[in-house]
Amino acid sequence: MQVLVLIMAGLLSKAAALYSSGDGVVQLTPANFDKEVMNSDELWIIEFYAPWCGHCKSLAPEWKKAAKALKGVVKIAAVDADAHGQLGGRFSVQGFPTIKVFGVNKNKPEDYQGGRTADAIVNAAMSKVKAMVNDRMSGRGGGSGGSGGGSKSGDPKDVIELTDGNFQELVLESDDLWLVEFFAPWCGHCKNLAPEWQSAASQMKGKVKFGAVDATVHTVYASRYEVRGYPTIKMFQKGEVREYDGGRTASDIVAWATDKAAANIPPPEVYQLTSEDVMKQNCQKQQICVFAVLPHILDCQADCRNNYISTLKRLGEKFKKNQWGWVWAEAAAQPEIEKALGMGGFGYPAMVALNSRKNLYVILKGPFSENGINEFLRDLSYGKGSSVPMRDNALPKVQTMEPWDGKDGQMYEEEEIDLSDVELDDLKEEL
C-alpha cells in the first residue's frame, strides 16, 4: 500500500509539472541553479512558478514557444518555486508567476516587466541581449542583470518636459523619433525609472529624443493614447505610435532605441581598402568592421567579384542596425594586414570581423557563402565567437593603391622576339 501511495504521488507530481525536457525550457532546482545560472556568462530569463497557479498555466504555452524561438540565443528556464521554496525566497519571489532576468551581474537579477505572450518575451529577450552585448563591447563591467544596467549619469536637460500645450508641435509634427514616458509624481516605479531615463536620454542625444509627461496634470494625450498605468512608455515617429516593450535600465532603453532608430538608416556602403583613410573611416570609427579578402581578379573575374560584393551589400543591409563598417581587399593586395589578422591559411575568399580599437578579430571559419556569412555575423551580433589578438597587437598601415576599375583582369603579355633574321651559325659563334 505504501509503495502504491509513493507511485501515485510521483505520477501526480509529474502531472502537475508544467514543463518537460522536450519543451526547450531548462528546469532548475537548488541542485543545479548555481552551476547553470550563477556561474554562466549567458543571459537567462527564469520563471518562478507554482503548478497549481492559473496564471502560470496560461503562461506555460507562451513560455515554451519563446524557449524554442530563443534556443541557442537566450536561456529560458523555469523553477517550481512551490517545490523549491528556498530558491524563490533567495530571489524575493512573492507571487506566481514571477519572471526574472539574470544578465551580467547574476547576483542582482532584474524583474521582467514585459508582456506575457511569446512575441513580447522574445522581443524583450533580444533587447536584453543587445544591451548585454553593447555593455561588453564598450568595456563596461555592468549589464542588464544589475539594477543600474551599466548606466552613466545623464543631464536632466536631455529629457524634454512635455505638456498638453507643446505635445502636438514637438512630438506629433516632428520627423524625429521620440520616446515619451507618461508618469505620475507619486509613482514608485516612475521614481526608479527617472535616473535610467535621464541616462538613456543623454546617451542617445542627437539620435532619439526623450520626453516626459506628467499624466496626472496633462491628461489630453495620456487619454488619447490610452495610458492606464505608470510609467507608460510609447514611441512616436511620423504618425506611428507603438508601445515600448523593452527593459527599464538605461542600457536596455538605449539598446531598444538604437534598434528602432537604426531601422531607418540607409544600408552601409562596401568600400575597397585602398588607403589608410578608408580604414579609419570604416574600421576605426566603427565598433566592428567586417573585412573580406576576395580572390585576385585573374582568379575571379569581374562578374565573379561583383557577385561577392553584392552578397556583402545584401548582408550589410540585413545587419545595418549594428552600424558596422564594411571593407574588402584583393588577395595579396594588403599582405601585412592579412598576416596580422591570421588570414593566410584559409585561402580566398576569406573574412574577419575586426575591432581595431581593442586590436581583436574573429575569423570566419565556415563557408564564404551568403548563408555561411549570415550565421557568422548573427553569432557576432549575439556576442558569440572567439576573438583573437592581432599579431604584434596592432594593425599595420594600409598600402595605398588605385581602386579596381570594374573590369576583367588581363594577363601580362610578354613581348615576342622575332628570330627569323638571326643566323644559327652566328648564335653558335657567340656561344
Side-chain angles (χ1 to χ4, degrees), residues 2-34:
Q2 187 177 3
V3 174
L4 179 61
V5 170
L6 290 173
I7 292 173
M8 290 300 295
L11 291 174
L12 287 172
S13 175
K14 289 182 179 179
L18 299 184
Y19 303 103
S20 65
S21 58
D23 295 330
V25 177
V26 181
Q27 298 181 72
L28 298 170
T29 69
N32 67 358
F33 194 94
D34 284 353

Side-chain angles (χ1 to χ4, degrees), residues 9 35 100 227 236 340-341 360-361 396:
K35 178 182 177 182
K100 290 186 177 283
V227 174
F236 296 83
L341 299 177
L360 297 173
Y361 67 90

Side-chain angles (χ1 to χ4, degrees), residues 270-284:
V270 180
Y271 294 95
Q272 184 181 0
L273 188 57
T274 56
S275 68
E276 190 67 25
D277 187 59
V278 173
M279 176 66 81
K280 287 179 179 178
Q281 291 297 322
N282 295 280
C283 293
Q284 294 177 5

Side-chain angles (χ1 to χ4, degrees), residues 193-423:
L193 177 62
E196 305 295 327
W197 194 247
Q198 181 177 295
S199 174
S202 295
Q203 293 181 55
M204 296 300 294
K205 188 174 182 179
K207 300 177 182 177
V208 176
K209 290 189 174 180
F210 281 67
V213 180
D214 182 345
T216 65
V217 175
H218 304 284
T219 61
V220 173
Y221 292 97
S223 176
R224 176 184 296 183
Y225 296 112
E226 300 180 339
V227 174
R228 295 190 176 92
Y230 307 116
T232 291
I233 302 171
K234 292 181 181 285
M235 184 194 85
F236 296 83
Q237 187 179 38
K238 296 181 180 179
E240 178 190 1
V241 183
R242 66 171 293 177
E243 295 287 337
Y244 172 83
D245 55 5
R248 298 298 175 91
T249 66
S251 58
D252 288 332
I253 298 163
V254 167
W256 195 95
T258 300
D259 186 64
K260 298 302 176 288
N264 296 317
I265 64 174
E269 292 291 335
V270 180
Y271 294 95
Q272 184 181 0
L273 188 57
T274 56
S275 68
E276 190 67 25
D277 187 59
V278 173
M279 176 66 81
K280 287 179 179 178
Q281 291 297 322
N282 295 280
C283 293
Q284 294 177 5
K285 288 189 175 182
Q286 308 295 335
Q287 186 73 36
I288 296 292
C289 167
V290 180
F291 175 45
V293 179
L294 304 182
H296 192 279
I297 192 64
L298 293 178
D299 297 323
C300 173
Q301 295 284 6
D303 285 346
C304 169
R305 177 173 290 182
N306 282 325
N307 284 336
Y308 281 129
I309 295 173
S310 295
T311 297
L312 297 178
K313 288 181 176 179
R314 286 193 298 273
L315 291 165
E317 166 79 28
K318 183 172 184 178
F319 290 92
K320 68 177 182 178
K321 293 180 181 180
N322 296 285
Q323 299 185 50
W324 293 331
W326 291 73
V327 295
W328 68 273
E330 183 177 75
Q334 302 291 345
E336 293 304 314
I337 293 178
E338 288 187 40
K339 188 184 298 183
L341 299 177
M343 301 179 77
F346 290 88
Y348 304 110
M351 174 179 286
V352 298
L354 166 67
N355 185 331
S356 61
R357 299 176 188 175
K358 296 184 178 180
N359 294 324
L360 297 173
Y361 67 90
V362 180
I363 197 159
L364 168 69
K365 295 182 179 179
F368 195 100
S369 63
E370 189 152 353
N371 287 336
I373 298 171
N374 179 71
E375 290 184 12
F376 171 67
L377 298 179
R378 183 194 61 194
D379 288 347
L380 186 71
S381 68
Y382 294 152
K384 295 184 177 181
S386 300
S387 60
V388 180
M390 294 180 198
R391 182 176 179 179
D392 299 326
N393 202 36
L395 196 63
K397 292 288 185 182
V398 177
Q399 294 186 20
T400 302
M401 60 190 59
E402 291 296 318
W404 177 46
D405 60 8
K407 300 178 181 179
D408 285 338
Q410 300 294 325
M411 291 289 292
Y412 175 75
E413 296 183 5
E414 296 184 0
E415 183 180 354
E416 294 185 2
I417 301 174
D418 185 3
L419 299 178
S420 59
D421 295 332
V422 178
E423 295 290 340

Side-chain angles (χ1 to χ4, degrees), residues 17-28 33 37 43-50 53-71 74-81 96-102 110-126 128:
L18 299 184
Y19 303 103
S20 65
S21 58
D23 295 330
V25 177
V26 181
Q27 298 181 72
L28 298 170
F33 194 94
V37 180
L43 179 70
W44 286 77
I45 303 182
I46 302 173
E47 176 203 2
F48 293 82
Y49 74 94
C53 161
H55 291 300
C56 302
K57 293 177 182 177
S58 298
L59 175 63
E62 299 297 315
W63 200 244
K64 295 173 186 177
K65 186 176 178 182
K68 290 179 180 179
L70 292 165
K71 184 178 180 181
V74 175
K75 294 284 189 178
I76 300 295
V79 173
D80 182 346
F96 304 121
T98 290
I99 301 172
K100 290 186 177 283
V101 180
F102 291 75
E110 178 189 346
D111 287 330
Y112 171 82
Q113 299 180 18
R116 299 299 174 92
T117 65
D119 284 344
I121 295 162
V122 169
N123 288 336
M126 295 310 297
K128 299 293 183 186

